[in-house]
Structures are given as C-alpha cells and as structure tokens.
Amino acid sequence: MKSTPATLFGRLGALLGGAALLVACTGPEPSPLPPEPAPTSEAAGCPESGVEITAGPVDTAMFTRAMGIVMTNCGTGEYTVNGFPVVRVLDADRQPLDIAVGNGSMPVSAPDSYDAPPEPVTLRPGDQVTARVLWRNEVTSSTEAAVNGKYLEIAPAEGEPAQVVEPDGGVDLGTTGRLAVNAWAVR
C-alpha cells in the first residue's frame, strides 16, 4: 500500500499525540494540596460559648421601658436554651447594682403576649431567639436617690457565661429597684 504525504502526516500526528499523552501520564505527580484547616468550635469573633447576645433599642412609654435582647447561635454546632436569661444591672464601672430581677412581666407591668411559659429551643448555627427586659423609670420615694445603670450583664441561663451589653440611654430605674425579664422564645 502506497502512502501519501497526507497519510504520513496523519499517522505522524497520531503518533506524536500518543507520545504526548504517555509523557503526561508518566510525568511527576502533582504536589498534594495543603491540608484543610482544622474546624474550630466557633466562628471568628464568636464567644467561646457559641452564642452572642445583643441589645435592641429601648422603647419608652409612660415611665415603662422595654428592650429586646437577641441571642444568636454564632457557633458551629447546635445550642439549646430553655428558660429565662439571667440579667444583672451594672453601673458605669461595671459593678452590680442591688436590683431585684423577676421572671415574667409582673414585677414591672401587666402580663402580655411575651409571658408565654419557657420552652426548650434548639438553635442551629445562625438561628436566633429573643427575650425582653422591662423596667420602670418611676420615683416612688423622695428620700432615695434614683438608680441609673449603664450596662446589663446577660447570661443565656443560670451557670452560663455572661455577656455585657450597653442599652441605648442606660437603665433608668428611678427608685423602683426592680426589672423583669421574659423567657427566650422564637418570635
């Protein structure tokens, strides 16, 4: 069989292509990828507990103050909360003030829709629950000085690590000496 130049070039091209594949397959192995960083228990900037507590604006009406607080699961695992936040009022030097804190609205105002009984809520990463802090700016005694807190120290539950938030305008309790907190809930 007689070969033409086109046939020769076609065979030569196939031969060179096969050789190139052979060289590519037998060349040095690519270097391995760097190892993935080990997963951390919390996202960057997230407290060690895996949850972050923030304060909303303070609503005011007729001496009553209401402030929403939000707890966000900023960690990488699930977090279950059940019950009431543990709240303390702090002064400008972050020292605790002698304030009675009651669960439910009753120590400060009439019960309302926020007074549902606590139920366990499991938060996946990124999920949130809210609670509400209530107080009255009322002076009931002319012989006592009005109390003004600067910060609230809030823990998700008894025995849990607390975080400090600064309510807009502080916590102007007058002489009442008490505040109230509603249970964590998805609202």
Side-chain angles (χ1 to χ4, degrees):
M1 173 159 100
K2 196 170 187 187
S3 295
T4 65
T7 308
L8 285 175
F9 282 119
R11 288 184 185 154
L12 182 60
L15 183 62
L16 288 175
L21 280 175
L22 184 61
V23 169
C25 290
T26 60
E29 289 189 26
S31 57
L33 295 174
E36 294 275 329
T40 60
S41 60
E42 299 356 302
C46 183
E48 190 176 317
S49 64
V51 293
E52 179 181 33
I53 297 173
T54 55
V58 177
D59 293 327
T60 62
M62 298 291 294
F63 302 109
T64 302
R65 311 292 192 246
M67 181 187 75
I69 53 177
V70 177
M71 181 169 53
T72 304
N73 181 349
C74 56
T76 57
E78 290 185 343
Y79 184 90
T80 300
V81 65
N82 184 14
F84 296 86
V86 177
V87 179
R88 290 194 322 166
V89 181
L90 307 178
D91 66 13
D93 296 323
R94 297 187 184 222
Q95 296 302 307
L97 297 171
D98 187 21
I99 304 299
V101 179
N103 290 337
S105 300
M106 279 301 291
V108 173
S109 74
D112 60 19
S113 63
Y114 280 84
D115 286 300
E119 294 183 8
V121 178
T122 298
L123 304 173
R124 291 177 294 198
D127 286 352
Q128 297 179 328
V129 289
T130 61
R132 182 180 67 169
V133 178
L134 297 166
W135 68 92
R136 293 182 67 77
N137 177 14
E138 186 174 7
V139 176
T140 58
S141 170
S142 61
T143 61
E144 295 177 48
V147 175
N148 291 303
K150 174 103 171 134
Y151 305 99
L152 291 176
E153 181 185 76
I154 304 171
E158 192 69 45
E160 298 279 329
Q163 298 174 36
V164 175
V165 298
E166 184 175 0
D168 186 31
V171 184
D172 53 347
L173 292 161
T175 58
T176 62
R178 66 182 183 272
L179 74 114
V181 63
N182 297 110
W184 294 114
V186 177
R187 293 184 173 85

